[in-house]
Amino acid sequence: MNTEFIGKRLAQLRDELACPGEDKWTQARVSAETGLTLNMIGNMELSGAARIEAFLDYLLFFQKRGYNLNWILTPNNANISKMILSESTKAIDVIAAVHQLNVVRQAVGKEIDSAIAVLES
């Protein structure tokens, strides 16, 4: 299994942790927050590999900050949200999707009606 993409994503997420105007999160800062050694964090970000306990600790560190573990771990994550979606967010997404499908249904229905009218004339 190629785990380099996981390491790159971990490093990317660490870079995103800083709020506007705040200093970047360094590996040393993450080390202090997680109790993992600087070497462990560096290795995970470089290769995506570590002892399972350390790897889980690092993943949970990001999960507690709202990041979706599926986004980190899935090789093709293009259709996966980077952030964990709350139940209310999921409901909003479903409502928006249903609305868009209804818009498409109406547009397609009009096109079908027009095509039928042309064929029948």
Side-chain angles (χ1 to χ4, degrees), residues 21-33:
E22 184 181 45
D23 290 337
K24 283 180 71 172
W25 278 67
T26 62
Q27 290 180 346
R29 183 173 176 187
V30 173
S31 173
E33 288 279 327

Side-chain angles (χ1 to χ4, degrees), residues 9 71 74-81:
R9 290 178 187 163
W71 184 88
T74 304
N76 181 2
N77 65 358
N79 294 321
I80 299 173
S81 172

Side-chain angles (χ1 to χ4, degrees), residues 84-109:
I84 297 170
L85 299 177
S86 68
E87 289 305 314
S88 59
T89 304
K90 289 178 189 175
I92 291 168
D93 287 347
V94 168
I95 292 167
V98 168
H99 173 72
Q100 288 298 340
L101 287 172
N102 282 324
V103 168
V104 170
R105 178 191 297 164
Q106 290 173 352
V108 170

Side-chain angles (χ1 to χ4, degrees), residues 60-73:
L60 292 174
F61 168 79
F62 286 110
Q63 184 182 39
K64 288 176 186 172
R65 284 157 178 78
Y67 289 100
N68 184 350
L69 297 184
N70 288 324
W71 184 88
I72 299 170
L73 299 172

